Amino acid sequence: DCHAHGMALLCMTAAFALSTPAYAARVGSLARASALRATAVRMMAIAAKPEGTPGTEEFKVTFADGADAKSPWHDIPLEAGDGLYNFVNEIPKYTTAKMEVDTKAPHNPIVQDEKKGKLRYYHGCIFWNYGCLPQTWEDPNVKGNDDVGGAFGDNDPIDVVEIGSKVIEMGAVTKVKALGVLSMIDDGELDWKVIAIAADDPMAKELNDIADVEAKMPGVVSGIREWFRWYKTPDDKPLNGFGHGEKALGAKEAKEVIEETHGFYKKLLDGTTDKGKLWIP
């Protein structure tokens, strides 16, 4: 029976195709894409909400999914798909209030940092959007290598300096492309600064590595380095230093640092590392 023989051959061919590595890879790719879409839908439901009056101790930005309080540190995924990361903006460019995710308060709202009972302000505006990557943590128990003088982590999510053209609102979550990283040493602690750009910025397609930033946005990398070197000196603090010979490392190294701090975060979350005073859900 030619018909039966043909159907059997067709089934065998289909079975072979379904068993190939290429098909398995395609299925895996589709599954990951589906998971990312589901994550995006969940993230769209998490909204930032300012509360109180800016410039007062009561002011904060909280996060919620409807009536459910959420954390910008714990409830927003690190990865945004296509090699991008979710960036939580704490300080919009051209502002001076020193805002940060409060890692010790329930649900980690963004609040203004205080010192000796006074709200902290930069002595001049910051020229970039500044915030952090969720689900990362610079472990204060881990000693860095000789490139960073053996400095330990600063006990915070990893910082991001977003160099795009737009002012990003406080609390906004933006997909960014990691381009490089500076290993700042602040008061003896390792305080990585990821240099990134919003994925929808007009320059994003032209920038893929730190060398592209140097070539197409000259002065930006050195500007970031010098701003963070000097910003505490009006308070009679010493200059901040930098590891790796003060060099800005490239995109590959930046992604490795992000992955490392994500690993530290996962150990914090599962209890392998003691949380201390940090708020963990």
Side-chain angles (χ1 to χ4, degrees):
D1 187 337
C2 291
H3 177 73
H5 178 74
M7 288 298 294
L9 184 60
L10 181 61
C11 290
M12 289 174 62
T13 302
F16 175 77
L18 293 175
S19 68
T20 61
Y23 180 80
R26 176 62 177 161
V27 169
S29 176
L30 290 171
R32 287 191 294 273
S34 178
L36 286 169
R37 284 195 295 272
T39 297
V41 169
R42 288 196 300 273
M43 273 187 55
M44 286 172 63
I46 298 178
K49 180 185 177 183
E51 298 180 9
T53 303
T56 68
E57 293 180 5
E58 292 73 30
F59 178 72
K60 59 185 176 181
V61 177
T62 60
F63 294 76
D65 179 356
D68 297 328
K70 296 294 182 182
S71 162
W73 186 19
H74 302 299
D75 293 317
I76 294 169
L78 169 61
E79 296 185 6
D82 298 324
L84 304 175
Y85 300 97
N86 287 312
F87 160 63
V88 179
N89 193 43
E90 297 163 311
I91 305 174
K93 66 194 298 186
Y94 308 133
T95 63
T96 59
K98 179 70 172 69
M99 309 299 296
E100 62 183 15
V101 168
D102 188 345
T103 56
K104 298 178 177 67
H107 303 293
N108 314 118
I110 295 175
V111 301
Q112 189 165 354
D113 190 23
E114 294 185 38
K115 188 168 185 179
K116 297 181 180 179
K118 293 184 179 181
L119 296 173
R120 284 187 65 192
Y121 291 89
Y122 295 131
H123 291 275
C125 67
I126 189 167
F127 302 105
W128 312 275
N129 297 298
Y130 186 53
C132 64
L133 293 180
Q135 299 189 14
T136 63
W137 181 55
E138 297 192 51
D139 190 342
N141 305 293
V142 175
K143 184 177 181 179
N145 60 24
D146 290 342
D147 287 327
V148 295
F152 291 80
D154 73 348
N155 201 31
D156 281 325
I158 196 168
D159 294 327
V160 175
V161 183
E162 193 280 322
I163 63 174
S165 57
K166 295 187 295 188
V167 175
I168 299 176
E169 291 184 6
M170 188 185 304
V173 179
T174 304
K175 295 179 181 181
V176 297
K177 180 191 293 187
L179 304 171
V181 66
L182 286 163
S183 53
M184 191 174 94
I185 312 297
D186 183 352
D187 198 21
E189 295 179 332
L190 178 57
D191 189 5
W192 292 104
K193 306 294 182 189
V194 174
I195 299 171
I197 190 165
D200 62 355
D201 191 90
M203 284 294 294
K205 291 182 179 179
E206 299 184 43
L207 305 178
N208 295 296
D209 212 328
I210 203 67
D212 299 327
V213 181
E214 296 280 24
K216 298 181 180 181
M217 299 179 71
V220 167
V221 175
S222 60
I224 293 169
R225 184 189 298 112
E226 296 311 311
W227 195 94
F228 281 100
R229 188 197 307 279
W230 288 89
Y231 83 100
K232 288 186 176 181
T233 57
D235 295 318
D236 296 322
K237 295 283 188 178
L239 295 171
N240 286 325
F242 294 87
H244 296 92
E246 303 206 342
K247 178 185 176 183
L249 305 179
K252 178 178 179 291
E253 291 87 352
K255 291 174 182 178
E256 289 172 353
V257 170
I258 292 167
E259 188 59 34
E260 179 182 52
T261 57
H262 183 50
F264 295 154
Y265 170 82
K266 288 190 287 188
K267 289 183 178 180
L268 177 68
L269 210 62
D270 68 18
T272 302
T273 305
D274 180 42
K275 68 178 182 178
K277 296 181 179 180
L278 300 173
W279 184 85
I280 305 296

